[in-house]
Amino acid sequence: MRTDKSFSELWLKTIQFCETNDISIEVSHPITKRKRTQPTNLMNFHLETTTSANFDEQDQDVSEAYWRRTVYFPIIDTIINNLKFRFSTENLHMAKAIDSFMDTDFEKSQYFEKKLLLKCNEY
């Protein structure tokens, strides 16, 4: 899901939906008050990254690139991280132990009982 291809598929569906429902997805940017220039100490160097002088209207986050970078990927990353935490090996082991405890299968629920005893001993 966290690929440019999957985003492109979703983006096409989003464009169609927005056109059908007359929804604007354009991103408005504040107008810069001054012209950006190349820093003088970098004038005689070949740069492999962009500087503020390279920042023009085409480089601004317009529609697809903006939504991909600021919305789609951060949301996907958050979902993946939460799923990893929620379904970690320890959490799944605990859930199975609690389920066994509730089914009165005390042999399989020993992991839960040990954790419960540790917590009780803390108090």
Side-chain angles (χ1 to χ4, degrees), residues 51-112:
T51 63
S52 59
N54 303 73
F55 191 78
D56 61 5
E57 282 298 314
Q58 292 176 349
D59 288 338
Q60 285 187 0
D61 295 334
V62 247
S63 295
E64 184 176 358
Y66 171 81
W67 293 108
R68 178 187 297 119
R69 188 173 65 238
T70 60
V71 177
Y72 181 74
F73 285 145
I75 288 174
I76 295 294
D77 290 343
T78 301
I79 291 170
I80 289 170
N81 288 332
N82 283 323
L83 287 172
K84 283 180 181 177
F85 172 74
R86 181 164 296 198
F87 297 107
S88 68
T89 306
E90 184 177 349
N91 287 348
L92 287 176
H93 192 67
M94 177 61 83
K96 288 178 185 177
I98 291 172
D99 187 47
S100 298
F101 181 78
M102 298 302 279
D103 290 339
T104 62
D105 185 351
F106 299 113
E107 188 175 316
K108 291 181 180 177
S109 67
Q110 288 178 0
Y111 180 80
F112 170 66

Side-chain angles (χ1 to χ4, degrees), residues 19 86 119:
E19 288 173 354
R86 181 164 296 198
K119 282 291 183 189

Side-chain angles (χ1 to χ4, degrees), residues 3-28:
T3 63
D4 287 331
K5 182 183 178 200
S6 61
F7 175 78
S8 295
E9 292 170 3
L10 178 64
W11 183 250
L12 289 175
K13 291 177 185 177
T14 303
I15 294 292
Q16 291 170 352
F17 177 82
C18 290
E19 288 173 354
T20 303
N21 295 293
D22 196 30
I23 299 172
S24 174
I25 55 173
E26 293 300 316
V27 180
S28 61

Side-chain angles (χ1 to χ4, degrees), residues 28-43:
S28 61
H29 292 284
I31 299 172
T32 58
K33 295 182 179 183
R34 62 184 178 92
K35 183 174 174 22
R36 296 172 186 252
T37 58
Q38 180 81 15
T40 54
N41 60 342
L42 299 176
M43 287 292 193

